[in-house]
Each structure stands twice: as structure tokens, then as C-alpha cells.
Amino acid sequence: MKTENDRRDFLKKCGLSTVPFFLPPIGLHTMPLAETTKKTPVNFIYDGLALSPDQYLNKLQEISKTSPIEADFYGNGGATKLLEEKFATLTGKEKAIYLPTGTMANQLAMKLLNKNNTKVLVPENSHIFRDEADAAQSVHNKRLIPVGKDKAYFDRSDLENTVNYINENEVFKSGLGTVTIENPVRRANGTFVPIQAIQEIADFCKQNGYKLHLDGARIHIAAAYSNISVAEYASHFDTVYISLYKYLNAAGGAILCGETTLIDQIAHQIKIYGGTIYQSWYNSSMAAHYLDGINTRWNQVVRTATQFISELNEIPGVRIESLKNGTNIYNLTLTKEISLKKLATFLYNEHNLWLGRADTNKVVKFTVNESLLTRDLKDIVAAWKIGIKQAHS
Ligand SMILES: Cc1ncc(COP(=O)(O)O)c(C=O)c1O
């Protein structure tokens, strides 16, 4: 049985920017709240709303009342088809397909793009390299070669150096066919890769005949903070994967977009690896709902968060800083006379505001998301002010 420590370790190793202060033993939403707070939760921890099963079911009903959700059949038709069409339009790609996980989307994209080539160059700190259980090597016969160790992202010269090194030092040329980029970079606290770097890498790949895949699990958040549209990002890549549960609040699922000839091979591949699911409408309809209007809502989150953070920074003892190329994750530090535990306990118990734990440097990766828009900002700031007073030791 997993202990709380195991779970915390798992979350940390996954590169989750922060770990909930009140990590519940069974799942989220199982911690008893004081009777006084029936307010909707605002979390400073997750990518999205972290909907409870109850909230999820209610939301699906609400969606279906306005526009009845239609079931798909093994991924065909219904809400899943509608979602695929939306994503093809959004990314400017010919076609999109639903997959059960992002891991499968990344792996199948690399496999098909790379054809008979064996080598794929990937960011050293990426989900593909570190968190996909060596699937590329053990299942798909592709060898992943890391680029850009100890950097948030690699640039064209890092890529060229690695390619030159391989060409000069390997006797058997079994072929490099594909390069991948992750944007934003989860293990670099969600910072985005500058578009200039992406353009230069894409040019290099084109000149050399390499395919380029984007792990854009959280691409919407890069778009919101860099003012580069999802379509513009996507235009530099052959294939693009986007998560349905990071920012689109589905319970799981992924979308892969690209040329028809490649996307049309995916359904068969999903089946081979046992991922064909009878129905997926509960994920696709939720994701489609949150995809509509996402730019407007995130522009509002960015504005609200900017105001919120500047007000919190006026409270003595509180410091919240943005990161270079940062998105929605900030560094929160408290002076030593303020107890983070007392503050987090107060905010959670009295106001249903969720704060994460500090890392070993006593920094909390303070994350904003759409939940910030569900409550009155004045009340949230007021709660923090009282919380900080009470948290003085
Ligand atoms: C950057 C990135 N890529 C891919 C994935 C894989 O997504 P899934 O959990 O759907 O396999 C994740 C999930 O954490 C991720 O953060």
C-alpha cells in the first residue's frame, strides 16, 4: 500500500512543481473542511481546476444540457470526433486524433515520424526522456539521445553539437530521424521555450531532413504567457501532442495533431498497444468545453494573477517572484517568523484555498490557474492578510 511519503516522492520525481500541503491519503477532496467554508476551492498547486468526481459529474450534466453530449464508439464519432476537429483547426494541422494518454501520443509520434531510423534526439529534462519508462527503447526500438543537460531547454547549437558528436563518433549509422521539444518545460517549473529557439531548431531540422515533434502537454499555458498562439507554435512541428487533463480539466486523454498520412496510422497503433477504449466522451466533451474560450479565460487569469501577486507582495514577509520565461508558476518565500504550515492550514480550513509545500530551499512553487477566477479576488487577498497575521510565530 502506498504511504503518504511514497506518494509525495512520486509526485516530486514526476517533476510536479509543488506538492499539496494536505496530501490526502486516498485522493483529492477527501480532507474534511471546516463547516464554515463551502466556497469553491482555489488551488495554488495544480495546472487546472482539480475537479472532484462530484464536480466533474455536475459539469458534464451542465454541458450536456446546453448541447447534448454524444457518445463515441471506440474513438469514432460523437464528442471525440468533435474534439479532434477542434484541435485540427486550432493547431492548423490536417488532422487530429484522441489517444488515452500523452505518453502514448509521444511514443507513437516518435515511432511513426522516425520510420526505420533508430535515433531520436530529446531534451534531457523532458517527460519523454525521463518519465516514459524507456518505452521508446523497450517497445518501439528507438534509441533516445538526450540533449541540453542542466539547461531549461536546448538551442540550435546544442543540437548541432550532439549531431556532430554522433556523426563523428559512431561507426554504424543507423540513422537519426526525429527531434523532440517539450514546451513549456515541466521540469524547469513550466518555463517556456523562446519562439526564436524553436524557429532555429526547426530550420536546422528542415535543412537536415529531421522530423520535429512537440510535447505540448501544456502548450496553452505557454501561449498565454508568451503571446505566441498555439497555431504559431504548431506551425514549426510535424506533430503536436496536447494534454486533455492538464489545462482542459478532463479526467485523462491526449490529442495528437499532424498530417493526415501520419494521423491515419495512429488508430491501428493504439490498438496494437492495447489502448483502444470503448468510449471516451467523458474526457473529450469535458476538454472541448474548456477548450472553447480558453484564451480569453487565461488572459484574465494572467491579469488577475498579476494584480493578486502585487497585492500579496505588499504584505510584510511575503515575497512572490516570476521566473525567467515564466508561465503560471512563481517562487513564493516567507520570512522565517511566518509559519507556512500555519498559513496553509488557515487558508485551507477557513477559506478552501490550497497551498503547496516548500522545497528544500524553502520556496513554494506558487501556481495560478483558472480556479482563481471562481472567487472574488478581494476575499482571497483578505484571507491571506489574516492568514499571514495568524501564522506569525
Ligand atoms: C510534459 C508532459 N508530457 C507528457 C505527459 C504524459 O501524459 P499522460 O499522463 O497522459 O501519459 C505529461 C504528464 O505528466 C507531461 O507532463
Short mmCIF file of all heavy atoms in Angstrom, two decimals, residues 185-235:
data_model
loop_
_atom_site.label_atom_id
_atom_site.label_comp_id
_atom_site.label_asym_id
_atom_site.label_seq_id
_atom_site.Cartn_x
_atom_site.Cartn_y
_atom_site.Cartn_z
N VAL A 185 8.33 23.68 -20.28
CA VAL A 185 9.16 22.61 -19.73
C VAL A 185 8.78 22.35 -18.27
O VAL A 185 9.02 23.18 -17.40
CB VAL A 185 10.65 22.99 -19.82
CG1 VAL A 185 11.52 21.81 -19.41
CG2 VAL A 185 11.00 23.49 -21.21
N ARG A 186 8.17 21.20 -18.05
CA ARG A 186 7.68 20.91 -16.71
C ARG A 186 8.79 20.87 -15.68
O ARG A 186 8.66 21.39 -14.58
CB ARG A 186 6.94 19.57 -16.74
CG ARG A 186 6.20 19.27 -15.47
CD ARG A 186 5.66 17.88 -15.52
NE ARG A 186 6.74 16.96 -15.84
CZ ARG A 186 6.75 15.68 -15.50
NH1 ARG A 186 5.73 15.19 -14.87
NH2 ARG A 186 7.75 14.91 -15.81
N ARG A 187 9.92 20.26 -16.03
CA ARG A 187 11.00 20.15 -15.05
C ARG A 187 11.78 21.45 -14.88
O ARG A 187 12.72 21.52 -14.10
CB ARG A 187 11.94 19.02 -15.41
CG ARG A 187 11.35 17.66 -15.10
CD ARG A 187 12.32 16.55 -15.38
NE ARG A 187 11.69 15.26 -15.20
CZ ARG A 187 11.57 14.64 -14.04
NH1 ARG A 187 12.05 15.20 -12.95
NH2 ARG A 187 10.97 13.48 -13.96
N ALA A 188 11.43 22.46 -15.65
CA ALA A 188 12.02 23.79 -15.46
C ALA A 188 10.90 24.72 -14.99
O ALA A 188 10.78 25.86 -15.44
CB ALA A 188 12.67 24.28 -16.72
N ASN A 189 10.06 24.21 -14.11
CA ASN A 189 8.98 24.99 -13.50
C ASN A 189 8.07 25.67 -14.51
O ASN A 189 7.66 26.81 -14.33
CB ASN A 189 9.57 26.06 -12.56
CG ASN A 189 10.29 25.40 -11.41
OD1 ASN A 189 9.77 24.47 -10.79
ND2 ASN A 189 11.51 25.86 -11.14
N GLY A 190 7.79 24.96 -15.59
CA GLY A 190 6.81 25.46 -16.55
C GLY A 190 7.28 26.62 -17.40
O GLY A 190 6.46 27.28 -18.04
N THR A 191 8.60 26.88 -17.43
CA THR A 191 9.07 28.00 -18.26
C THR A 191 8.94 27.62 -19.74
O THR A 191 8.99 26.44 -20.10
CB THR A 191 10.54 28.36 -17.94
OG1 THR A 191 11.32 27.17 -17.97
CG2 THR A 191 10.64 28.99 -16.56
N PHE A 192 8.73 28.63 -20.57
CA PHE A 192 8.53 28.33 -21.99
C PHE A 192 9.83 28.43 -22.77
O PHE A 192 10.77 29.10 -22.35
CB PHE A 192 7.42 29.19 -22.61
CG PHE A 192 7.66 30.68 -22.59
CD1 PHE A 192 8.50 31.28 -23.52
CD2 PHE A 192 7.02 31.49 -21.65
CE1 PHE A 192 8.71 32.65 -23.51
CE2 PHE A 192 7.23 32.86 -21.63
CZ PHE A 192 8.08 33.44 -22.56
N VAL A 193 9.84 27.75 -23.91
CA VAL A 193 11.00 27.81 -24.81
C VAL A 193 10.78 29.01 -25.74
O VAL A 193 9.73 29.08 -26.40
CB VAL A 193 11.11 26.51 -25.66
CG1 VAL A 193 12.36 26.56 -26.54
CG2 VAL A 193 11.10 25.28 -24.76
N PRO A 194 11.71 29.96 -25.80
CA PRO A 194 11.50 31.13 -26.67
C PRO A 194 11.27 30.72 -28.12
O PRO A 194 11.92 29.80 -28.62
CB PRO A 194 12.80 31.92 -26.52
CG PRO A 194 13.40 31.44 -25.24
CD PRO A 194 12.98 30.02 -25.09
N ILE A 195 10.37 31.43 -28.78
CA ILE A 195 9.99 31.07 -30.14
C ILE A 195 11.19 31.12 -31.09
O ILE A 195 11.31 30.31 -32.02
CB ILE A 195 8.81 31.96 -30.65
CG1 ILE A 195 8.23 31.41 -31.95
CG2 ILE A 195 9.21 33.40 -30.79
CD1 ILE A 195 7.44 30.16 -31.82
N GLN A 196 12.10 32.05 -30.82
CA GLN A 196 13.32 32.16 -31.64
C GLN A 196 14.12 30.85 -31.62
O GLN A 196 14.57 30.36 -32.66
CB GLN A 196 14.16 33.31 -31.03
CG GLN A 196 15.54 33.48 -31.58
CD GLN A 196 15.49 34.37 -32.83
OE1 GLN A 196 14.46 34.98 -33.13
NE2 GLN A 196 16.60 34.41 -33.56
N ALA A 197 14.25 30.27 -30.42
CA ALA A 197 14.99 29.00 -30.29
C ALA A 197 14.27 27.89 -31.06
O ALA A 197 14.90 27.08 -31.74
CB ALA A 197 15.13 28.63 -28.82
N ILE A 198 12.93 27.89 -30.98
CA ILE A 198 12.15 26.87 -31.69
C ILE A 198 12.34 27.02 -33.20
O ILE A 198 12.57 26.05 -33.92
CB ILE A 198 10.65 26.96 -31.31
CG1 ILE A 198 10.48 26.59 -29.83
CG2 ILE A 198 9.79 26.08 -32.22
CD1 ILE A 198 9.06 26.71 -29.31
N GLN A 199 12.30 28.29 -33.66
CA GLN A 199 12.46 28.54 -35.11
C GLN A 199 13.81 28.04 -35.60
O GLN A 199 13.91 27.39 -36.64
CB GLN A 199 12.36 30.04 -35.39
CG GLN A 199 10.97 30.45 -35.76
CD GLN A 199 10.72 31.94 -35.53
OE1 GLN A 199 11.60 32.68 -35.07
NE2 GLN A 199 9.54 32.37 -35.86
N GLU A 200 14.85 28.34 -34.82
CA GLU A 200 16.21 27.94 -35.25
C GLU A 200 16.35 26.42 -35.28
O GLU A 200 16.98 25.87 -36.18
CB GLU A 200 17.25 28.57 -34.31
CG GLU A 200 17.35 30.07 -34.53
CD GLU A 200 18.20 30.79 -33.50
OE1 GLU A 200 18.87 30.12 -32.69
OE2 GLU A 200 18.17 32.03 -33.52
N ILE A 201 15.75 25.76 -34.29
CA ILE A 201 15.81 24.29 -34.26
C ILE A 201 15.03 23.73 -35.45
O ILE A 201 15.47 22.80 -36.14
CB ILE A 201 15.25 23.77 -32.92
CG1 ILE A 201 16.20 24.13 -31.79
CG2 ILE A 201 15.01 22.25 -32.98
CD1 ILE A 201 15.62 23.94 -30.40
N ALA A 202 13.85 24.32 -35.71
CA ALA A 202 13.02 23.84 -36.82
C ALA A 202 13.75 24.01 -38.16
O ALA A 202 13.73 23.12 -39.01
CB ALA A 202 11.69 24.58 -36.83
N ASP A 203 14.45 25.14 -38.33
CA ASP A 203 15.22 25.36 -39.57
C ASP A 203 16.29 24.30 -39.73
O ASP A 203 16.47 23.72 -40.80
CB ASP A 203 15.90 26.75 -39.54
CG ASP A 203 14.89 27.87 -39.68
OD1 ASP A 203 13.73 27.58 -40.06
OD2 ASP A 203 15.25 29.03 -39.39
N PHE A 204 17.00 24.06 -38.63
CA PHE A 204 18.08 23.05 -38.66
C PHE A 204 17.51 21.67 -39.03
O PHE A 204 18.10 20.95 -39.83
CB PHE A 204 18.76 23.02 -37.28
CG PHE A 204 19.84 21.98 -37.16
CD1 PHE A 204 21.07 22.16 -37.78
CD2 PHE A 204 19.62 20.81 -36.45
CE1 PHE A 204 22.07 21.20 -37.68
CE2 PHE A 204 20.60 19.84 -36.34
CZ PHE A 204 21.84 20.02 -36.96
N CYS A 205 16.37 21.35 -38.44
CA CYS A 205 15.75 20.04 -38.72
C CYS A 205 15.36 19.95 -40.19
O CYS A 205 15.59 18.94 -40.85
CB CYS A 205 14.54 19.82 -37.82
SG CYS A 205 15.01 19.48 -36.12
N LYS A 206 14.77 21.03 -40.71
CA LYS A 206 14.36 21.01 -42.12
C LYS A 206 15.58 20.83 -43.03
O LYS A 206 15.57 20.02 -43.95
CB LYS A 206 13.64 22.32 -42.48
CG LYS A 206 12.18 22.24 -42.15
CD LYS A 206 11.34 23.27 -42.88
CE LYS A 206 10.01 23.38 -42.17
NZ LYS A 206 10.02 24.42 -41.10
N GLN A 207 16.64 21.61 -42.73
CA GLN A 207 17.85 21.52 -43.57
C GLN A 207 18.42 20.11 -43.59
O GLN A 207 19.02 19.67 -44.55
CB GLN A 207 18.93 22.48 -43.03
CG GLN A 207 18.64 23.95 -43.33
CD GLN A 207 19.31 24.88 -42.31
OE1 GLN A 207 20.19 24.47 -41.56
NE2 GLN A 207 18.87 26.13 -42.29
N ASN A 208 18.23 19.39 -42.49
CA ASN A 208 18.84 18.06 -42.38
C ASN A 208 17.86 16.90 -42.57
O ASN A 208 18.24 15.75 -42.41
CB ASN A 208 19.53 17.93 -41.01
CG ASN A 208 20.76 18.81 -40.94
OD1 ASN A 208 21.80 18.44 -41.44
ND2 ASN A 208 20.60 20.00 -40.38
N GLY A 209 16.62 17.24 -42.85
CA GLY A 209 15.62 16.19 -43.10
C GLY A 209 15.15 15.48 -41.85
O GLY A 209 14.65 14.36 -41.91
N TYR A 210 15.27 16.14 -40.68
CA TYR A 210 14.76 15.52 -39.45
C TYR A 210 13.33 15.98 -39.20
O TYR A 210 12.98 17.13 -39.45
CB TYR A 210 15.58 15.94 -38.21
CG TYR A 210 17.06 15.70 -38.33
CD1 TYR A 210 17.97 16.60 -37.77
CD2 TYR A 210 17.56 14.57 -38.98
CE1 TYR A 210 19.33 16.39 -37.87
CE2 TYR A 210 18.93 14.36 -39.08
CZ TYR A 210 19.81 15.27 -38.52
OH TYR A 210 21.15 15.07 -38.62
N LYS A 211 12.51 15.07 -38.67
CA LYS A 211 11.15 15.44 -38.29
C LYS A 211 11.19 16.06 -36.89
O LYS A 211 12.10 15.78 -36.10
CB LYS A 211 10.25 14.20 -38.26
CG LYS A 211 10.13 13.51 -39.60
CD LYS A 211 9.34 14.37 -40.56
CE LYS A 211 9.15 13.67 -41.91
NZ LYS A 211 8.61 14.59 -42.91
N LEU A 212 10.17 16.88 -36.59
CA LEU A 212 10.16 17.57 -35.30
C LEU A 212 8.81 17.35 -34.60
O LEU A 212 7.75 17.61 -35.19
CB LEU A 212 10.41 19.07 -35.54
CG LEU A 212 10.71 19.95 -34.34
CD1 LEU A 212 11.89 19.45 -33.52
CD2 LEU A 212 10.98 21.39 -34.80
N HIS A 213 8.88 16.85 -33.37
CA HIS A 213 7.65 16.60 -32.59
C HIS A 213 7.61 17.51 -31.38
O HIS A 213 8.62 17.72 -30.71
CB HIS A 213 7.63 15.12 -32.13
CG HIS A 213 6.56 14.83 -31.11
ND1 HIS A 213 5.21 14.82 -31.43
CD2 HIS A 213 6.64 14.57 -29.77
CE1 HIS A 213 4.51 14.55 -30.32
NE2 HIS A 213 5.35 14.40 -29.32
N LEU A 214 6.41 18.02 -31.08
CA LEU A 214 6.23 18.86 -29.89
C LEU A 214 5.46 18.12 -28.82
O LEU A 214 4.33 17.69 -29.04
CB LEU A 214 5.45 20.14 -30.26
CG LEU A 214 5.03 21.03 -29.08
CD1 LEU A 214 6.25 21.60 -28.34
CD2 LEU A 214 4.15 22.19 -29.55
N ASP A 215 6.09 17.96 -27.65
CA ASP A 215 5.33 17.57 -26.46
C ASP A 215 4.80 18.87 -25.89
O ASP A 215 5.47 19.58 -25.15
CB ASP A 215 6.23 16.85 -25.45
CG ASP A 215 5.47 16.48 -24.17
OD1 ASP A 215 4.42 17.09 -23.91
OD2 ASP A 215 5.92 15.59 -23.43
N GLY A 216 3.57 19.18 -26.30
CA GLY A 216 2.94 20.42 -25.86
C GLY A 216 1.83 20.11 -24.87
O GLY A 216 0.74 20.70 -24.97
N ALA A 217 2.12 19.20 -23.95
CA ALA A 217 1.12 18.82 -22.95
C ALA A 217 0.43 20.07 -22.40
O ALA A 217 -0.79 20.12 -22.28
CB ALA A 217 1.77 18.02 -21.82
N ARG A 218 1.24 21.11 -22.11
CA ARG A 218 0.71 22.34 -21.51
C ARG A 218 0.88 23.54 -22.44
O ARG A 218 1.09 24.66 -21.98
CB ARG A 218 1.44 22.62 -20.20
CG ARG A 218 1.30 21.55 -19.16
CD ARG A 218 2.20 21.81 -17.96
NE ARG A 218 1.95 20.88 -16.89
CZ ARG A 218 2.45 19.63 -16.84
NH1 ARG A 218 3.23 19.19 -17.81
NH2 ARG A 218 2.16 18.84 -15.82
N ILE A 219 0.77 23.32 -23.75
CA ILE A 219 1.09 24.40 -24.69
C ILE A 219 0.19 25.63 -24.50
O ILE A 219 0.62 26.76 -24.73
CB ILE A 219 1.04 23.89 -26.16
CG1 ILE A 219 1.71 24.90 -27.10
CG2 ILE A 219 -0.37 23.59 -26.62
CD1 ILE A 219 3.16 25.07 -26.93
N HIS A 220 -1.05 25.41 -24.02
CA HIS A 220 -1.93 26.57 -23.83
C HIS A 220 -1.35 27.58 -22.84
O HIS A 220 -1.56 28.79 -22.97
CB HIS A 220 -3.30 26.11 -23.32
CG HIS A 220 -4.11 25.49 -24.40
ND1 HIS A 220 -4.35 24.16 -24.49
CD2 HIS A 220 -4.70 26.05 -25.48
CE1 HIS A 220 -5.05 23.91 -25.56
NE2 HIS A 220 -5.29 25.03 -26.18
N ILE A 221 -0.62 27.06 -21.87
CA ILE A 221 -0.09 27.97 -20.85
C ILE A 221 1.12 28.73 -21.40
O ILE A 221 1.33 29.89 -21.06
CB ILE A 221 0.20 27.17 -19.55
CG1 ILE A 221 0.29 28.11 -18.38
CG2 ILE A 221 1.41 26.33 -19.60
CD1 ILE A 221 -1.05 28.63 -18.06
N ALA A 222 1.89 28.05 -22.28
CA ALA A 222 3.00 28.77 -22.94
C ALA A 222 2.41 29.88 -23.80
O ALA A 222 2.91 31.01 -23.80
CB ALA A 222 3.81 27.80 -23.79
N ALA A 223 1.31 29.57 -24.50
CA ALA A 223 0.68 30.56 -25.38
C ALA A 223 0.20 31.76 -24.56
O ALA A 223 0.40 32.91 -24.94
CB ALA A 223 -0.48 29.92 -26.14
N ALA A 224 -0.41 31.48 -23.41
CA ALA A 224 -0.98 32.57 -22.61
C ALA A 224 0.12 33.52 -22.10
O ALA A 224 -0.10 34.72 -22.01
CB ALA A 224 -1.75 32.00 -21.43
N TYR A 225 1.28 32.99 -21.77
CA TYR A 225 2.33 33.84 -21.18
C TYR A 225 3.33 34.38 -22.19
O TYR A 225 4.04 35.33 -21.89
CB TYR A 225 3.06 33.09 -20.06
CG TYR A 225 2.25 33.09 -18.78
CD1 TYR A 225 1.25 32.17 -18.56
CD2 TYR A 225 2.48 34.06 -17.79
CE1 TYR A 225 0.49 32.18 -17.41
CE2 TYR A 225 1.73 34.07 -16.62
CZ TYR A 225 0.74 33.14 -16.43
OH TYR A 225 -0.01 33.16 -15.28
N SER A 226 3.41 33.77 -23.38
CA SER A 226 4.41 34.25 -24.35
C SER A 226 3.76 35.07 -25.47
O SER A 226 4.46 35.64 -26.30
CB SER A 226 5.13 33.06 -24.97
OG SER A 226 4.20 32.28 -25.72
N ASN A 227 2.41 35.06 -25.49
CA ASN A 227 1.68 35.73 -26.58
C ASN A 227 1.99 35.14 -27.95
O ASN A 227 1.87 35.83 -28.96
CB ASN A 227 1.95 37.24 -26.60
CG ASN A 227 1.26 37.91 -25.43
OD1 ASN A 227 0.13 37.55 -25.11
ND2 ASN A 227 1.95 38.83 -24.78
N ILE A 228 2.41 33.89 -27.98
CA ILE A 228 2.58 33.18 -29.25
C ILE A 228 1.42 32.19 -29.31
O ILE A 228 1.22 31.42 -28.37
CB ILE A 228 3.92 32.39 -29.27
CG1 ILE A 228 5.13 33.30 -28.99
CG2 ILE A 228 4.08 31.62 -30.59
CD1 ILE A 228 5.45 34.30 -30.04
N SER A 229 0.67 32.21 -30.41
CA SER A 229 -0.52 31.36 -30.44
C SER A 229 -0.14 29.88 -30.56
O SER A 229 0.96 29.54 -31.02
CB SER A 229 -1.43 31.75 -31.61
OG SER A 229 -0.79 31.41 -32.81
N VAL A 230 -1.09 29.01 -30.16
CA VAL A 230 -0.87 27.57 -30.30
C VAL A 230 -0.59 27.24 -31.78
O VAL A 230 0.29 26.44 -32.10
CB VAL A 230 -2.10 26.79 -29.77
CG1 VAL A 230 -1.99 25.31 -30.09
CG2 VAL A 230 -2.26 27.02 -28.26
N ALA A 231 -1.33 27.91 -32.69
CA ALA A 231 -1.14 27.65 -34.12
C ALA A 231 0.27 28.01 -34.56
O ALA A 231 0.90 27.30 -35.34
CB ALA A 231 -2.16 28.43 -34.93
N GLU A 232 0.78 29.14 -34.04
CA GLU A 232 2.14 29.53 -34.45
C GLU A 232 3.17 28.53 -33.92
O GLU A 232 4.07 28.10 -34.65
CB GLU A 232 2.49 30.94 -33.98
CG GLU A 232 3.85 31.30 -34.51
CD GLU A 232 4.31 32.73 -34.31
OE1 GLU A 232 3.49 33.59 -33.92
OE2 GLU A 232 5.51 32.96 -34.54
N TYR A 233 3.02 28.15 -32.66
CA TYR A 233 3.93 27.11 -32.14
C TYR A 233 3.85 25.87 -33.03
O TYR A 233 4.86 25.33 -33.45
CB TYR A 233 3.53 26.72 -30.71
CG TYR A 233 4.06 27.64 -29.63
CD1 TYR A 233 3.20 28.18 -28.67
CD2 TYR A 233 5.41 27.95 -29.55
CE1 TYR A 233 3.68 29.01 -27.66
CE2 TYR A 233 5.90 28.78 -28.53
CZ TYR A 233 5.03 29.30 -27.60
OH TYR A 233 5.50 30.12 -26.61
N ALA A 234 2.60 25.43 -33.28
CA ALA A 234 2.40 24.17 -34.00
C ALA A 234 2.99 24.21 -35.41
O ALA A 234 3.44 23.18 -35.93
CB ALA A 234 0.91 23.84 -34.07
N SER A 235 3.02 25.42 -36.02
CA SER A 235 3.48 25.52 -37.41
C SER A 235 4.93 25.06 -37.58
O SER A 235 5.35 24.74 -38.67
CB SER A 235 3.29 26.95 -37.91
OG SER A 235 4.22 27.79 -37.26
#
